[in-house]
Every structure is written in structure tokens, then in C-alpha cells.
Amino acid sequence: MNHQAGEPPFPSRRAILSAMALIGFTLLAVTTSRLTAVGVTELPTAVPTISRALVFEDMQDGSVLVSDSVEQVVIDRFNPGDGGFVRGVLRSLNRGRKLRGVTVEHAYDLVRWDDGRLSLLDPVTGARVDLEAFGPTNFESFARLLGTTSLEMPLDSQVSLRHL
């Protein structure tokens, strides 16, 4: 780069010093917030209130059979074309198992938490799907598998979904 005499070089010394000061301030702010937990929001830990170990079995006719793995009882059956959300969630979780070389026959844990939320947990891979995030209809498709009556989605989830 040629510059003529009397013309300041680019970038100027002032610009370089300003950029270094900004980078230094950013590193200092991040380090301080990490060490002091400033700006960290912690939610209270929810406690499971109801849990059920479920096995989902694909049948020859295209239906999915849902069984309680502890009680060895059939809970529900999703015929072909039914239970699209349940099938989609299971497809995603089963894909994670296959990628890890795990068979899909292991039970999943359906858990109702004391804050009203509902999660499907895969104890084999550690995956967790929080079901209230998908709306009341999809929430109910799993809630009925717990075998309890009238589980409602948490109110704060319903409100936030209406505003989307």
C-alpha cells in the first residue's frame, strides 16, 4: 500500500488502539460475568410427580402399540394415520438411538413434573423432549399415556403459545 506523504496510514494507530480496547473490555466483561454469575438466571429444579416407562412397538399393520414396561400392560394403539405427533417424536428419538448403535426396544420414561410440565426422556441416550412446547393438542396426546385424567398443560406455556 502506497500512501502519499502527509496522508495518515490506514488503519490508523488510533483505530487499532480503539479496537484492542474494545476487545479487552469484552474479554474482561465476559470473564467477570462467568466468575461472579452476574446475569445468570436459574430456574428452580422441578421434581417428578408421575412417571411411566413406556415401550413403543411398530406392528406389521403399520400401527404403533404402546405398553407400560413395568406392568406389562398395553396402554394404547395408534393406527396407521393416527398419532402423527407421537410418531414424529419417536422417530426422532429412535434415530438418536440408532446413531449410537442402541436398539429401539428399550423403554422411554414419560414424566410429569411438579411444575405441570411433561417430558419424554430417553434414559439410554439422555435425550429429553419437553412436550408442552408443542401446544395443548400435542401435549394431550402424550399426557393420556400416563393413565391419569385431565392433565392440563401449564398455564405459562399456554399463554406464551398464544402470543407467538
Side-chain angles (χ1 to χ4, degrees), residues 71-128:
E71 298 175 13
Q72 300 293 311
V73 178
V74 173
I75 299 169
D76 205 346
R77 179 185 200 106
F78 294 100
N79 292 318
D82 292 339
F85 177 67
V86 174
R87 289 172 186 266
V89 169
L90 290 172
R91 194 171 329 154
S92 172
L93 291 173
N94 285 340
R95 182 176 184 275
R97 283 183 173 186
K98 287 178 183 176
L99 289 173
R100 289 172 177 79
V102 179
T103 60
V104 296
E105 291 81 28
H106 296 282
Y108 292 98
D109 293 327
L110 185 59
V111 179
R112 176 68 174 206
W113 304 94
D114 65 350
D115 62 1
R117 300 187 188 284
L118 186 66
S119 302
L120 186 64
L121 308 173
D122 184 354
V124 176
T125 65
R128 174 179 173 165

Side-chain angles (χ1 to χ4, degrees), residues 110 112 118 138-148 151:
L110 185 59
R112 176 68 174 206
L118 186 66
N138 293 327
F139 177 90
E140 182 58 36
S141 65
F142 274 97
R144 68 186 181 138
L145 298 176
L146 280 176
T148 59
L151 284 180

Side-chain angles (χ1 to χ4, degrees), residues 9-25:
F10 183 80
S12 69
R13 179 180 173 96
R14 186 176 189 185
I16 291 173
L17 290 175
S18 297
M20 289 174 56
L22 180 62
I23 291 169
F25 174 76

